Amino acid sequence: MLSRLGAFLQQAVETQEPSIDLLEAFTEHWKGLTHYYLETTDENTPVKETDIPWRLKQMLDILVYEEKQHPAGETGPCLEYLLQHKILETLSTLGKAEYPPGMRQQVFLFFSRVLGQVQHPLLHYLNVHRPVQKLLQFGSDALGSATEKEEVQFAAVLCAKIKQDPALLTYILEGKNLLTGSPQGDAGSNQGENLATNGALTASRKQDRESPRGNAPCPSLAGKPKNSVSSSSPLRKENNLITSLINLCKSQKSRVALKAQENLLLLISVAQQAAATYLVQNSALCCLVTDHLCDLYNAVPTSADPADILSLERVSWRLQNNSADEASFPGKGSLIAFFSWLDYCDHLVREAHPVVADAVTEAIGEKLFHRILQPQLLQMSELGILTSTAMLTAMVRQISAPALLQELVTFLLGTERQPEAITDSPQQHLLRAQLIEHCNHLSDEISLATLRLFEELLQKPHEHIVYSLVLRNLEERSYILCSQPGQEERSSHDQEHYEDTLELEEDPYFTDEFPDTGFRTHKKPMPSSPWGPARPNEKTDVNEIVLSFLGLVPDEAKTSSYLEEAGYDTYVHDALRLFQECSATISSWNWPPAPKPLEPCDPQAAFYEGHFLKVLFDRMTRILDQPYGLNLQMTSVLSRLALFPHPHLHEYLLDPYLNLAPGCRTLFSVLIRVIGDLMQRIQRVSQFPAKLLLVRRQLMGLVPEEQIDHMTLFQGVVVLEEFCKELAAIAFVTFPPEGPA
């Protein structure tokens, strides 16, 4: 009996039509949802206290289950019903009306789940992508909205779908025309049916027209050709996936902002050229990203302390709102917000399709660098120059994407690669000339800040930086004296006479000028004087070069031997590490391994070291009269230049035995003049060695600070001694054992 009953029930189940039952259940839930609006009279009941969330969940489950029962690619009756009866269109309208309260949240969830869980391609259908566009238009109307979590989840689903099929991008971004009521495509005109309940659609359109978001055209596209922006897609009123993601990136909820940023990166990394071009030409992506960056820059207080700006460590965009100690100094929160978004832009440019990366880079260069930063760097206010220079230095430190770094370098230094001339007009590249001049500013603070900027620049992996500042003027090696026809015999005679003179002098530098000084004679080989330098041999042993730098500072001005500090080996170790790092950086720059062969020279041509080296050398001549911090920064920049493994740089900055052209000065010849000045001053200051040692101990923190006469002089001597050791160590690790070629 029981077996017969079981068989009967099994037969009954097998003879049923599951699809009919599913469709009936689906339509029943939909009708139950719409009947709520006809029957309810309480407009304040939250949606969670109604059966709407449950009915939407049942409709979703039916769609997912139905799809599993049909072959891939086949549309089931429930899905067809959803498309034909424009259910998503109606839901988007109900969500915009926010009736009952919380309905918008439920609509976002339903859309996200349907698009994410139903495998059948849906976004190609007009009755799907049109309500998706409308849903995006009223997302994130205000920062901190209650639906931010659902909005970013909805946007994430769309970005994932576009990543799988970049052709969907055009369907999603077409929503901008809905605000003006213009048709979209062939089927756009039949989508104006009033599906709203209680006038919700009318109210939502009015809300769109009154919304201020996206009203301003993108200035970065103002000068573009007409064919570069779709005439049917005006940028003036655009609320779509791009604007939604950008607004969500500004969320105060760190998880929402991070997820929005990650999905924007996913969207802009589309692989197809056509999709990337469409994204640039038919959306305000570049404008919105750059405008937010400019807004954050302008939000930094003008009273921000430059020292505080530079004290910030490199910020990561993935560490959202990581500012527990935000109150440590005024404006720290604004600084972190700006540099976090700058880091995001840097990452965006690195990860995006090249078409998108170039467009974003161009917009940042135009709007942030040229329109905002350049006027601040060229202003007359010293406080303004200090603040903007500190901001620029921190930006240089933050930027690493090749395209964005290229834009920054071009902005700061221009593209000129011809040798400089002393008669060049600063107007050729005003900002470059002004920044270099700031290294020699009357304000020591501005000079220090600008030198710090150039040191940061020289650490970036970009060949044009060191070439523009220094190398382009050393390319022809015109700093070396080249003999003219008929002068060879005279030059040989002068060289022999000069070497004979050296044997008669106690000190090849200064004893002819200071016969009564009593300084001890140098026992090691010394280079010739700056007025007639000549290399004694075709090749000079590197040890002679090292000893030349180590022997520059007279014993009376040396203090390191009296203190328990690291020896010369430490300098060599540090120089080797920095030289290896620098060599790795320039490995792809194709620099020559040996100096360029000398060519016949024009006797009337005068060598010019360039504006940058001229300013640095001028600063070096005043090392005994400048503040301690400024001297440290100036010598740090020169050391950084000497580390670059280019044969002309090593030759010009580190070889004391060059046959210099008339009127030419090198780093070594400048140091010789500084030592000459120092030796005169030593005679005028009583107890010079003892006072110098005391100042050295103060700088090391071994004794309490106290003000003594000639403090700046003593501090300058300390820096000078350390700098000569650094140069000796750099020469040791950069030149081959047999010396420069």
Side-chain angles (χ1 to χ4, degrees):
M1 181 66 181
L2 292 176
S3 60
R4 290 182 180 179
L5 179 59
F8 176 77
L9 292 175
Q10 180 68 29
Q11 183 181 4
V13 171
E14 292 176 352
T15 56
Q16 288 180 347
E17 295 274 339
S19 59
I20 297 177
D21 291 342
L22 290 176
L23 181 58
E24 288 180 356
F26 188 83
T27 56
E28 178 184 350
H29 286 300
W30 175 241
K31 291 177 181 178
L33 188 150
T34 55
H35 285 166
Y36 171 84
Y37 290 91
L38 300 176
E39 298 172 356
T40 186
T41 57
D42 186 1
E43 298 181 357
N44 298 320
T45 302
V47 69
K48 291 184 178 181
E49 297 181 10
T50 70
D51 63 351
I52 292 178
W54 176 77
R55 291 192 179 279
L56 290 175
K57 179 65 168 59
Q58 296 302 311
M59 292 169 64
L60 172 68
D61 291 342
I62 291 173
L63 289 172
V64 173
Y65 178 79
E66 177 189 66
E67 185 176 46
K68 294 179 180 179
Q69 307 307 311
H70 290 78
E74 183 178 319
T75 305
C78 295
L79 183 58
E80 290 181 356
Y81 183 90
L82 179 137
L83 296 173
Q84 293 174 3
H85 290 77
K86 303 175 184 176
I87 290 178
L88 296 181
E89 183 89 16
T90 304
L91 284 175
S92 66
T93 303
L94 297 175
K96 186 156 193 174
E98 187 65 338
Y99 174 66
M103 186 61 185
R104 181 177 299 187
Q105 184 181 41
Q106 297 300 319
V107 172
F108 272 118
L109 286 173
F110 183 74
F111 271 63
S112 300
R113 291 167 179 170
V114 168
L115 295 175
Q117 297 182 32
V118 175
Q119 301 304 311
H120 186 82
L122 296 177
L123 286 169
H124 299 83
Y125 293 103
L126 183 63
N127 288 341
V128 176
H129 71 251
R130 180 182 175 89
V132 164
Q133 294 163 353
K134 295 174 71 174
L135 204 59
L136 288 168
Q137 289 169 18
F138 61 79
S140 291
D141 288 333
L143 290 179
S145 67
T147 60
E148 281 186 338
K149 181 180 178 181
E150 290 72 27
E151 290 173 33
V152 76
Q153 181 179 346
F154 175 56
V157 172
L158 293 178
C159 291
K161 293 294 183 182
I162 293 173
K163 185 68 174 178
Q164 295 173 4
D165 184 5
L168 292 174
L169 191 63
T170 57
Y171 293 93
I172 304 302
L173 292 187
E174 281 179 352
K176 63 190 78 171
N177 283 345
L178 293 177
L179 297 176
T180 59
S182 58
Q184 295 185 66
D186 298 335
S189 60
N190 63 355
Q191 295 300 311
E193 293 89 352
N194 185 3
L195 302 176
T197 303
N198 297 335
L201 181 58
T202 305
S204 65
R205 286 180 175 170
K206 180 180 180 182
Q207 182 180 350
D208 276 341
R209 289 194 299 269
E210 294 175 352
S211 173
R213 293 170 49 207
N215 288 343
C218 181
S220 63
L221 300 176
K224 300 290 184 183
K226 291 182 179 180
N227 58 359
S228 67
V229 178
S230 173
S231 59
S232 62
S233 303
L235 296 175
R236 60 182 179 276
K237 288 188 176 182
E238 176 183 328
N239 284 17
N240 56 26
L241 181 58
I242 300 297
T243 56
S244 178
L245 284 170
I246 295 294
N247 283 325
L248 289 168
C249 287
K250 304 174 186 178
S251 172
Q252 298 302 311
K253 301 174 184 177
S254 59
R255 292 185 179 180
V256 170
L258 179 60
K259 191 168 184 178
Q261 292 174 10
E262 289 174 342
N263 281 281
L264 183 58
L265 286 175
L266 184 68
L267 181 66
I268 55 89
S269 62
V270 289
Q272 290 188 2
Q273 175 88 10
T277 303
Y278 188 91
L279 188 62
V280 169
Q281 296 183 351
N282 296 274
S283 80
L285 169 67
C286 304
C287 182
L288 293 172
V289 169
T290 308
D291 281 350
H292 186 43
L293 184 65
C294 295
D295 291 342
L296 292 172
Y297 181 90
N298 291 328
V300 176
T302 56
S303 59
D305 189 335
D308 291 337
I309 296 173
L310 294 174
S311 69
L312 279 179
E313 296 182 358
R314 201 172 187 275
V315 179
S316 172
W317 65 273
R318 294 187 182 277
L319 302 178
Q320 297 290 328
N321 296 333
N322 185 24
S323 53
D325 57 341
E326 187 170 330
S328 58
F329 62 82
K332 184 175 183 180
S334 300
L335 285 168
I336 290 177
F338 168 72
F339 286 110
S340 176
W341 190 251
L342 177 63
D343 184 58
Y344 179 73
C345 292
D346 185 76
H347 193 78
L348 185 150
V349 170
R350 184 186 297 275
E351 298 295 328
H353 187 283
V355 171
V356 179
D358 291 344
V360 173
T361 297
E362 181 183 355
I364 292 176
E366 174 64 25
K367 301 185 73 174
L368 178 61
F369 295 164
H370 288 278
R371 296 187 187 180
I372 296 179
L373 199 53
Q374 179 165 313
Q376 294 181 356
L377 293 168
L378 297 177
Q379 64 182 306
M380 300 302 294
S381 167
E382 292 189 2
L383 181 59
I385 294 175
L386 282 172
T387 303
S388 57
T389 303
M391 289 292 292
L392 176 58
T393 303
M395 290 166 63
V396 171
R397 182 191 309 157
Q398 191 76 42
I399 291 174
S400 61
L404 195 54
L405 180 59
Q406 172 67 45
E407 186 74 21
L408 179 64
V409 170
T410 302
F411 162 67
L412 294 175
L413 303 178
T415 58
E416 183 62 48
R417 294 180 70 87
Q418 295 298 319
E420 294 177 84
I422 198 169
T423 57
D424 285 348
S425 170
Q427 299 300 324
Q428 290 183 353
H429 195 288
L430 181 59
L431 181 58
R432 178 186 185 275
Q434 197 68 35
L435 286 175
I436 294 177
E437 198 59 39
H438 282 174
C439 296
N440 204 20
H441 200 276
L442 291 176
S443 167
D444 291 333
E445 290 81 2
I446 291 179
S447 297
L448 176 61
T450 312
L451 285 168
R452 188 180 291 114
L453 166 65
F454 278 106
E455 183 179 24
E456 200 70 50
L457 263 177
L458 289 169
Q459 297 180 55
K460 306 305 290 186
H462 199 290
E463 184 268 349
H464 186 67
I465 297 173
V466 65
Y467 194 91
S468 173
L469 292 175
V470 179
L471 275 178
R472 61 172 169 162
N473 305 303
L474 309 180
E475 194 71 28
E476 300 300 323
R477 300 176 69 198
S478 53
Y479 46 84
I480 296 179
L481 177 66
C482 56
S483 299
Q484 300 300 315
Q487 292 184 345
E488 291 83 354
E489 183 178 346
R490 176 185 171 186
S491 298
S492 175
H493 173 75
D494 290 345
Q495 175 68 11
E496 292 175 0
H497 173 73
Y498 182 75
E499 292 177 353
D500 292 340
T501 305
L502 281 180
E503 296 176 359
L504 300 177
E505 294 180 345
E506 287 186 3
D507 190 316
Y509 290 126
F510 312 111
T511 51
D512 56 340
E513 297 184 32
F514 314 107
D516 300 325
T517 58
F519 289 123
R520 286 170 288 179
T521 306
H522 291 282
K523 299 301 182 182
K524 43 187 159 302
M526 299 302 299
S528 55
S529 76
W531 298 276
R535 184 180 294 181
N537 300 304
E538 188 63 29
K539 286 190 176 182
T540 306
D541 188 274
V542 67
N543 290 325
E544 294 185 16
I545 296 176
V546 170
L547 292 175
S548 297
F549 282 107
L550 291 178
L552 270 176
V553 179
D555 293 341
E556 290 75 5
K558 292 181 178 179
T559 58
S560 57
S561 59
Y562 298 98
L563 300 172
E564 295 181 1
E565 59 177 15
Y568 174 68
D569 290 346
T570 303
Y571 289 87
V572 174
H573 181 272
D574 292 341
L576 180 60
R577 175 179 56 82
L578 293 172
F579 178 69
Q580 290 173 341
E581 292 176 359
C582 192
S583 298
T585 300
I586 66 94
S587 59
S588 61
W589 295 358
N590 297 321
W591 277 357
K596 178 182 178 180
L598 288 174
E599 299 179 358
C601 60
D602 181 3
Q604 304 299 324
F607 170 73
Y608 178 53
E609 63 264 35
H611 196 187
F612 187 59
L613 279 181
K614 177 183 182 302
V615 167
L616 290 179
F617 287 172
D618 290 345
R619 274 289 181 192
M620 176 57 68
T621 62
R622 303 196 297 273
I623 190 173
L624 303 178
D625 302 301
Q626 295 174 157
Y628 179 69
L630 180 58
N631 283 334
L632 286 178
Q633 189 61 59
M634 181 251 314
T635 55
S636 180
V637 172
L638 285 167
S639 296
R640 176 67 59 177
L641 285 172
L643 283 166
F644 280 101
H646 193 287
H648 297 172
L649 264 177
H650 288 168
E651 180 180 63
Y652 182 68
L653 295 178
L654 297 176
D655 188 356
Y657 295 99
L658 289 176
N659 292 310
L660 295 180
C664 174
R665 60 178 180 172
T666 65
L667 179 56
F668 192 84
S669 69
V670 171
L671 288 172
I672 288 178
R673 295 181 181 274
V674 172
I675 297 299
D677 182 22
L678 171 61
M679 296 176 72
Q680 294 185 57
R681 298 193 190 199
I682 290 176
Q683 306 308 304
R684 298 195 295 264
V685 178
S686 62
Q687 300 180 333
F688 186 93
K691 292 181 179 178
L692 176 62
L693 184 59
L694 175 62
V695 172
R696 180 64 177 266
R697 289 179 177 274
Q698 290 180 3
L699 293 174
M700 296 177 64
L702 300 177
V703 296
E705 292 187 11
E706 61 176 287
Q707 190 64 35
I708 63 175
D709 293 337
H710 309 290
M711 176 67 80
T712 301
L713 169 63
F714 293 126
Q715 291 177 341
V717 173
V718 170
V719 176
L720 181 62
E721 181 185 2
E722 296 302 305
F723 182 51
C724 289
K725 289 181 182 179
E726 290 177 5
L727 292 177
I730 294 172
F732 182 79
V733 301
T734 55
F735 284 133
E738 66 274 11

